[in-house]
Amino acid sequence: MKKKFTPYLLLLISFSLIALFKVYPIGYSLVGSLFVKGAGGVTKFAGFANFKMLFLDPDFINSLLMTLKFTLIITPIQVILAVGLAVLLNRDNALVRATRTIVYIPVAVNLVVAATIWNLMLNPSSGIINSILNIFGIESQPLLTSPDQAMWVIMIICCWKGVAYWMLFLLAGMQNINDSIYESGKIDGTNPITEFFYLTLPLLKNTLVFVTISDTMINLFMFVPVYMLTGGGPQGSTNVLMYEAYRSAFKFSNYGRSYAIITILLLMTCVIIGLQFWFLRDKDAPKKPRKARGDLS
């Protein structure tokens, strides 16, 4: 009897932590999005009023579009760069091992510290980035202070921070591919390009699906670089949904609106991830045959 329940007892701590830090906050947000703070600070049930007001609010619509723009652009860029890095570093020698360590350094740097360093480097008047541009005869750029450049700068910082992280998963997936498969390919006349597209990518599909979906989720909930570097500006050009939710709750004390934004972001994430699972599914996987009527076996 003791052995029967031992696995469940061992998993109880993990399930408890997931329930406390994942399930409970989601449930709290869902419930909180249905309430508004009325006159005298009294909270009252409002149904879907918060959601109706959101879709009439230009600030919310802008943050929704900025979030989609950021995610749709940066996710494929990060995945492609991570695949490229993994291919280049999928070798075993001292130089490659040292390069892997150097490439992985940004992942080890705390995101708040990294954002602070980048903020100093990107300063329009005294930052090192503009100093380097000036050396090559390029005039100083506004960077984070420009509505046209700020989001692209945030994307570059996120790529600098995240590409090596996803590269690690892809590199592990590549190293799990049996060498005999590549040897068979060489016998059949493959070159490095055909080997990559016809052997490596198909065998790396499960890892690629995991990396793409995980990266999409992280990008949808991106917050720290915007909070540290731009505060949603300039002119709302980096005001993503997570920052808009933070602004509603901690700057304007409108918790109902904040919970509604988080709820919409969660639903949007579920839809996008569901679509990715659908498009990236293994179409060649054998389907389980249906049992004929009357077949009791």
Side-chain angles (χ1 to χ4, degrees), residues 11-47:
L11 291 170
L12 183 61
I13 296 175
S14 296
F15 284 137
S16 300
L17 291 173
I18 291 171
L20 180 62
F21 294 107
K22 298 290 185 182
V23 179
Y24 173 72
I26 290 173
Y28 194 89
S29 296
L30 291 173
V31 174
S33 66
L34 302 176
F35 289 83
V36 295
K37 187 176 286 188
V42 178
T43 302
K44 60 180 182 179
F45 181 77

Side-chain angles (χ1 to χ4, degrees), residues 34-290:
L34 302 176
F35 289 83
V36 295
K37 187 176 286 188
V42 178
T43 302
K44 60 180 182 179
F45 181 77
F48 293 102
N50 284 317
F51 296 95
K52 292 177 182 177
M53 287 188 288
L54 278 179
F55 285 99
L56 297 173
D57 184 351
D59 288 336
F60 169 76
I61 299 299
N62 175 68
S63 63
L64 177 63
L65 293 174
M66 289 301 105
T67 301
L68 290 173
K69 173 186 174 181
F70 176 82
T71 304
L72 291 173
I73 293 175
I74 196 174
T75 300
I77 291 175
Q78 285 184 322
V79 173
I80 291 169
L81 290 176
V83 171
L85 265 180
V87 171
L88 290 173
L89 299 179
N90 189 23
R91 291 165 180 78
D92 189 16
N93 58 61
L95 178 61
V96 170
R97 287 194 292 270
T99 305
R100 286 180 197 165
T101 303
I102 294 170
V103 168
Y104 198 75
I105 287 174
V107 181
V109 179
N110 180 275
L111 189 53
V112 175
V113 174
T116 304
I117 294 171
W118 274 99
N119 195 28
L120 294 172
M121 292 170 60
L122 292 165
N123 188 290
S125 58
S126 59
I128 191 173
I129 301 298
N130 273 329
S131 298
I132 293 172
L133 292 176
N134 295 155
I135 292 172
F136 293 97
I138 302 172
E139 62 181 20
S140 297
Q141 300 295 313
L143 301 172
L144 292 173
T145 60
S146 166
D148 298 322
Q149 296 181 4
M151 181 61 87
W152 296 103
V153 174
I154 294 289
M155 289 181 188
I156 291 171
I157 294 170
C158 289
C159 285
W160 171 83
K161 178 71 176 166
V163 167
Y165 179 73
W166 301 119
M167 178 270 295
L168 200 65
F169 291 95
L170 294 164
L171 185 60
M174 288 180 184
Q175 292 182 346
N176 280 330
I177 299 174
N178 200 307
D179 290 337
S180 62
I181 295 173
Y182 292 117
E183 291 171 4
S184 300
K186 288 177 182 177
I187 293 171
D188 291 334
T190 59
N191 56 51
I193 295 175
T194 55
E195 182 181 276
F196 174 73
F197 284 103
Y198 291 102
L199 294 178
T200 303
L201 277 185
L203 293 170
L204 201 63
K205 183 173 182 180
N206 289 338
T207 309
L208 272 171
V209 171
F210 166 77
V211 167
T212 302
I213 290 173
S214 302
D215 190 29
T216 301
M217 291 178 65
I218 289 175
N219 290 330
L220 283 168
F221 288 90
M222 191 270 295
F223 171 74
V224 173
V226 170
Y227 174 75
M228 294 287 297
L229 298 174
T230 63
Q235 300 176 25
S237 60
T238 61
N239 188 27
V240 292
L241 284 174
M242 277 300 295
Y243 187 77
E244 183 66 16
Y246 162 82
R247 219 166 55 104
S248 296
F250 297 104
K251 288 191 175 182
F252 303 109
S253 299
N254 192 345
Y255 291 99
R257 183 178 188 274
S258 179
Y259 293 141
I261 293 172
I262 294 298
T263 301
I264 290 172
L265 183 55
L266 287 170
L267 292 174
M268 188 171 74
T269 302
C270 291
V271 170
I272 292 173
I273 298 304
L275 290 172
Q276 286 182 328
F277 267 119
W278 173 259
F279 285 113
L280 297 174
R281 74 190 188 282
D282 189 355
K283 299 179 180 66
D284 299 324
K287 295 180 180 179
K288 186 177 179 180
R290 292 183 179 180

